[in-house]
Amino acid sequence: MIDLFSGLDAWVLVSLLLALAFVLAFEFINGFHDTANAVATVIYTKAMPPHLAVFFSGVFNFLGVLLGGVGVAYAIVHLLPVELLINVNTGHGLAMVFSLLAAAITWNLGTWYFGIPASSSHTLIGSILGVGLANALINDIPLADGVNWQKAIDIGASLVFSPMAGFLVAALVLIGLKWWRPLSKMHKTPEQRRKIDDKKHPPFWNRLVLVISAMAVSFVHGSNDGQKGIGLIMLVLIGIVPAQFVLDLNSTTYQIERTRDATLHLSQFYQRNSESLGEYLALGKSVKGDLPEKFRCNPQQTEPTIAALLDTLKGVADYHSLSSESRIEVRRYLLCLDDTAKKVGKLPGLAAREKDDLNKLRKDLTATTEYAPFWVILAVALALGLGTMVGWKRVVLTIGEKIGKQGMTYAQGMSAQITTACMIGAANIFSLPVSTTHVLSSGVAGTMVANKSGLQSGTVRTILLAWVLTLPATVALSAALFWLASKALGS
């Protein structure tokens, strides 16, 4: 790993280390900010001692990051428009990364300090959107092109609907448990259990389910939230030291061949569908240059881009053999081809089978650009896991006692945790970032309603206010910081 950074100017190396520290700090804060959501119920119900619960939650968060892949990481990265991603420039990369991280960390620390279960996912996404919009304003790009709005809509929908689904599903699970075992001790609160049964801990099977589901929430939290840190670090590395990280230099000859084959098949795909795509892609027409000036992707330059990519990769068996400039160009070509293919897939007139083929080609095209070195994954896993082991007390009380007018029963804790683990696990399959905070807290609220315990309007109003304000606040803050940083760096 060390040799990747050799030969860098001192100021670039210092900036890189500082940027990496910022990302890991964000993940550390994310750990202790969101830990309570994974362990609140087991601590509140006394299913596990607090420090033991937090320790094991940290371990499972660590494992979740290691085993979670990078799908969610690049879903976050691609909130930025492709034009911003291909504009590789050290000063630009520094301004972008420090702005969005400073905004995200500031909001996370503020909400944590006041014990508000706000979403780190919302915070990060708002910060990224702010950078994209500010970049558009600075460079006279239409705001409609300043952000990948389709990806933003997809992610926004998952963030909006997942808490609603969490509320409903957790309520239904609790209703099912009350119907199945109406007289069970699992419907007691810890206080009732202590007074009536003179016992401190939940019944054995309820305790087991609470512990297992809490660790499941920790694991899926790591595999979802941890990937956001991975995506941020890759933005840092590509923006500051592009020659070493724009492509996976450890790609095998077979993987490079797959990229080249995917490019050839993409060309054949377009030729096969030239009748419906010919005009959109300007097939068979001469276009000057392989890409527009100022790094703008243009569907009508697809054929020259394919030709340039195939020419650059001709005879290449190892990305190390490419010059630094060629690596940057290859990534630029691949990202533009992928962006165009994504747009083509949404055009009317293509058969469903053809769209499936196109999606498979896109995966092969980006296989050597959408990656993360193991040391990046390990660093994020450690930061999130260690962060998980501190700072949990402020939010646990909010989750356990301040959402409903009565304390949480064991059945409510199980319902909320099982729902949260399943929903975030499903989101991971579809590479969608969701908020552990919002899913769990809404799940608890759903069980309170189903249990006829009532809701504390003050707490619910505070959580909803944080939910509503997080996006606009972080968008505005990161946009302002990016504008100032860009002016200062002259990028």
Side-chain angles (χ1 to χ4, degrees), residues 118-131:
S119 166
S120 295
S121 301
H122 264 127
T123 302
L124 179 58
I125 288 164
S127 300
I128 291 175
L129 292 178
V131 166

Side-chain angles (χ1 to χ4, degrees), residues 43-267:
I43 292 175
Y44 177 75
T45 58
K46 296 180 172 57
M48 290 182 82
H51 293 93
L52 192 61
V54 171
F55 172 77
F56 279 106
S57 179
V59 170
F60 278 90
N61 265 285
F62 176 85
L63 293 174
V65 178
L66 282 186
L67 303 175
V70 294
V72 174
Y74 281 93
I76 291 288
V77 168
H78 286 298
L79 275 172
L80 295 170
V82 68
E83 289 79 9
L84 194 55
L85 294 176
I86 62 177
N87 185 6
V88 175
N89 172 281
T90 299
H92 187 272
L94 285 172
M96 177 175 65
V97 169
F98 282 120
S99 300
L100 68 89
L101 284 174
I105 288 172
T106 300
W107 187 260
N108 263 359
L109 283 176
T111 52
W112 166 79
Y113 180 80
F114 290 105
I116 302 170
S119 166
S120 295
S121 301
H122 264 127
T123 302
L124 179 58
I125 288 164
S127 300
I128 291 175
L129 292 178
V131 166
L133 293 173
N135 178 73
L137 290 172
I138 291 169
N139 295 290
D140 294 322
I141 297 171
L143 288 180
D145 298 328
V147 170
N148 185 343
W149 289 110
Q150 185 55 56
K151 179 63 72 174
I153 290 169
D154 292 342
I155 292 175
S158 73
L159 287 171
V160 169
F161 289 114
S162 56
M164 297 179 184
F167 182 97
L168 180 62
V169 173
L172 292 175
V173 171
L174 180 67
I175 290 170
L177 290 175
K178 290 174 77 72
W179 172 80
W180 179 48
R181 299 287 297 276
L183 302 178
S184 171
K185 294 177 181 178
M186 67 179 164
H187 300 299
K188 293 180 179 178
T189 66
E191 184 66 18
Q192 290 170 337
R193 173 81 164 158
R194 188 182 65 79
K195 285 184 177 180
I196 298 173
D197 301 334
D198 196 27
K199 292 186 182 294
K200 183 178 179 181
H201 302 295
F204 174 78
W205 289 110
N206 302 144
R207 189 176 186 181
L208 183 64
V209 172
L210 282 165
V211 170
I212 291 174
S213 59
M215 296 308 106
V217 171
S218 298
F219 181 85
V220 295
H221 173 261
S223 62
N224 195 281
D225 275 40
Q227 288 192 50
K228 295 158 192 170
I230 293 171
L232 285 175
I233 288 186
M234 293 312 296
L235 277 178
V236 168
L237 295 174
I238 291 169
I240 299 177
V241 279
Q244 301 293 346
F245 294 100
V246 286
L247 297 173
D248 183 0
L249 296 182
N250 292 320
S251 298
T252 64
T253 303
Y254 170 73
Q255 289 172 315
I256 297 172
E257 288 287 349
R258 271 182 63 188
T259 300
R260 190 161 39 229
D261 288 345
T263 308
L264 281 169
H265 289 311
L266 186 66
S267 177

Side-chain angles (χ1 to χ4, degrees), residues 41 170 399 403-404 408 412 416 439-449 455:
T41 52
I399 296 290
I403 292 180
M408 183 194 302
Q412 286 176 265
V439 175
L440 184 70
S441 57
S442 62
V444 171
T447 64
M448 290 293 176
V449 172
L455 297 173

Side-chain angles (χ1 to χ4, degrees), residues 1-6 8 13 16-17 20 233 237 241 244-245 250 373-379:
M1 184 188 89
I2 301 299
D3 60 313
L4 295 174
F5 307 114
S6 60
L8 295 179
L13 182 59
L16 174 62
L17 294 176
L20 293 176
I233 288 186
L237 295 174
V241 279
Q244 301 293 346
F245 294 100
N250 292 320
F374 179 72
W375 66 266
V376 170
I377 298 172
L378 183 62

Side-chain angles (χ1 to χ4, degrees), residues 404-407 409 412 447-455:
K405 291 183 178 178
Q406 299 177 19
T409 67
Q412 286 176 265
T447 64
M448 290 293 176
V449 172
N451 199 47
K452 299 179 181 178
S453 303
L455 297 173

